[in-house]
Amino acid sequence: MISINRSGLAAAAMGFFLTACAAVNEPINAPGQSADGTVSIAGAGAGNRDDVFVGLAFSGGGTRASAFAYGMLDELQRRTGNSANPYGVLTDVRLVSGVSGGSVTAAWFGYKGPAGLKGYRENYLLKDGEVHMANSAFNPVTIVKGLSGGANDRNTFARFLDETLFKGATYGDLHRKSRIATWINASDVANNTPFLFSPETFNALCSDLSKLPISEAVAASAAFPLVFSPIVLKAHQDCNYRPPDWLVAAKNNPEATSAMRAYAATLESYRDPSRVQYVKLLDGGITDNFGTTGMAVARAKAQTPYGPLSKKEAVRIRRMLFLVANAGVSKDYGWTQQVKGPGAMELAMSIVNSSMGSATRVGYDVMRLSLDQWHEDLIKFRCDLSMDEVAELRGSVEGWDCQDIKLFVGEVSADALDPAMRNKLNEIPTRLRLEPEQVDTAIAAARQSLGRNAEFNGFLASLKEAPSPPAGARRITPVSN
């Protein structure tokens, strides 16, 4: 006879109660195969310039992050727009990457382009993104659901996003409509790796990304632990999947970064039903708060020193700007002033925030190093070209300088703000519902920070520099041996 004491019975009952209360999400991806329909980074942006490349990354932080990213976009337009091109350098944006709250603005900008900024504050930022959510900290049912895996399922924020912004638009619509490569990032919490919503990832799941609503990807990217239950994808097995050569090379290349090898191993795990039948996604900020995985994948996929640019783009590009909108804030914890504490919930949130803070710092450093290496590779590729190759790719060798590529990488964050503005930004909570003055504070903070950003201002100054060889002269650069 098996004996169960009272404490064991109570624990079993509590476990059953928690499981029964858990908000469970059904898989959101249908079986199929994804065509490589992603927008290429190669080629000019929405404008006509082929010598300027702008990439943007928006961090997490709820609606505060969405508003901060919008403020940076708005300031970019204000500082560079003119009567001939009212959107300014926004038309030079080739890629945008978003995580968590920043993924809302990233997806919307990627889908609608610069014209999508009009009305975004009123139509989204001022709306109540928690309207369908259970979010009361004083409701015991909400607390129990949170502790059991998540207080809210996907039919809350995803529903709000679809009703408010995307109106049923899918990734297929995004890829057909947009000229901006758009990367939405979540976290695979079983593999402890970033999850990139891309055809490569969905092909490994035997699933068709083009059919997935944009709102579902954004909601997965913003699925903060405890507040949301993990978003679920099914690893289908009914397709003839063959991993791409670049992915195999990344997995087996000892010189590949550990992050890239982990990404390759994660996709491989999706093909093994004994390991993964369902992928569980949470907030992208847990593993990669700036969405740098997309750039690593794009570089590996190209397998060339100039990729993901084309050869022609590589010889024509002159100025590259990458800006990160970091909407992170610093907050003092009361329990650091006393011996007691933190409590269970405070500790859980502190652990999650610590993970995201670490991902933020590491993400920016990784992005900076990878971009610096790409910059060096581009220069070497250009300087190894013969003059005949330059003429063929560029159309002329007039004004040619193989080293004339300037890279600017800047972080737009609270660090550049006046103390008063920084304090106001720090008071804005990480929520999906803010007061109008809080939204406007986040927007104003991004504008102020961007205006003081040395890298951005250096980029603007460099745009005024044009090649100035004597009329009719041909500038010849020796070919490296």
Side-chain angles (χ1 to χ4, degrees), residues 135-321:
N135 56 11
S136 174
F138 302 102
N139 186 332
V141 175
T142 300
I143 295 173
V144 169
K145 282 188 173 183
L147 293 175
S148 66
N152 296 277
D153 62 23
R154 50 172 286 273
N155 292 313
T156 55
F157 190 49
R159 173 185 168 190
F160 169 77
L161 288 171
D162 206 58
E163 292 173 348
T164 305
L165 287 176
F166 297 105
K167 313 295 184 184
T170 65
Y171 261 84
D173 298 321
L174 171 64
H175 295 156
R176 284 188 294 270
K177 179 183 177 67
S178 179
R179 298 182 65 180
I180 301 171
T182 305
W183 298 335
I184 303 302
N185 307 267
S187 294
D188 178 336
V189 291
N191 281 297
N192 301 314
T193 54
F195 182 96
L196 181 63
F197 282 85
S198 69
E200 291 84 10
T201 306
F202 272 65
N203 277 336
L205 293 168
C206 287
S207 188
D208 188 356
L209 176 62
S210 69
K211 296 179 180 178
L212 187 76
I214 301 171
S215 58
E216 297 283 8
V218 175
S221 179
F224 195 83
L226 305 183
V227 178
F228 293 97
S229 291
I231 304 302
V232 180
L233 300 173
K234 182 174 175 56
H236 298 283
Q237 301 297 324
D238 49 351
C239 72
N240 296 320
Y241 174 74
R242 178 186 174 188
D245 293 340
W246 62 268
L247 193 63
V248 176
K251 179 188 172 186
N252 298 311
N253 181 6
E255 296 184 359
T257 65
S258 58
M260 197 61 205
R261 290 198 300 273
Y263 178 79
T266 294
L267 296 195
E268 185 178 65
S269 76
Y270 298 161
R271 304 309 315 137
D272 184 353
S274 68
R275 295 176 61 191
V276 176
Q277 294 192 45
Y278 298 97
V279 180
K280 308 296 177 70
L281 304 180
L282 283 174
D283 195 301
I286 297 173
T287 53
D288 180 5
N289 204 31
F290 290 146
T292 60
T293 301
M295 178 54 71
V297 171
R299 288 282 287 130
K301 183 178 179 181
Q303 296 183 292
T304 64
Y306 50 82
L309 295 177
S310 66
K311 275 189 176 182
K312 182 175 291 187
E313 274 293 303
V315 299
R316 295 186 178 189
I317 207 77
R318 292 183 58 248
R319 299 295 177 260
M320 305 174 73
L321 172 68

Side-chain angles (χ1 to χ4, degrees), residues 367-427:
M367 182 183 72
R368 183 64 202 242
L369 289 172
S370 63
L371 289 175
D372 285 344
Q373 184 60 57
W374 187 27
H375 183 226
E376 293 178 11
D377 291 344
L378 280 170
I379 290 176
K380 185 178 186 307
F381 163 74
R382 287 158 55 108
C383 291
D384 284 347
L385 293 172
S386 68
M387 288 298 103
D388 287 342
E389 289 174 309
V390 172
E392 180 181 355
L393 292 168
R394 190 169 174 263
S396 169
V397 296
E398 184 173 347
W400 170 246
D401 182 347
C402 67
Q403 299 191 53
D404 184 26
I405 305 181
K406 291 187 177 180
L407 169 68
F408 301 87
V409 184
E411 181 179 0
V412 180
S413 70
D415 292 344
L417 300 177
D418 292 335
M421 178 64 81
R422 187 184 307 120
N423 290 336
K424 290 175 67 176
L425 183 66
N426 284 338
E427 290 301 315

Side-chain angles (χ1 to χ4, degrees), residues 21 72 76 80 169 189 247 279 284 306 333 372 441:
C21 287
M72 190 176 82
L76 283 170
T80 62
V189 291
L247 193 63
V279 180
Y306 50 82
Y333 295 102
D372 285 344
T441 293

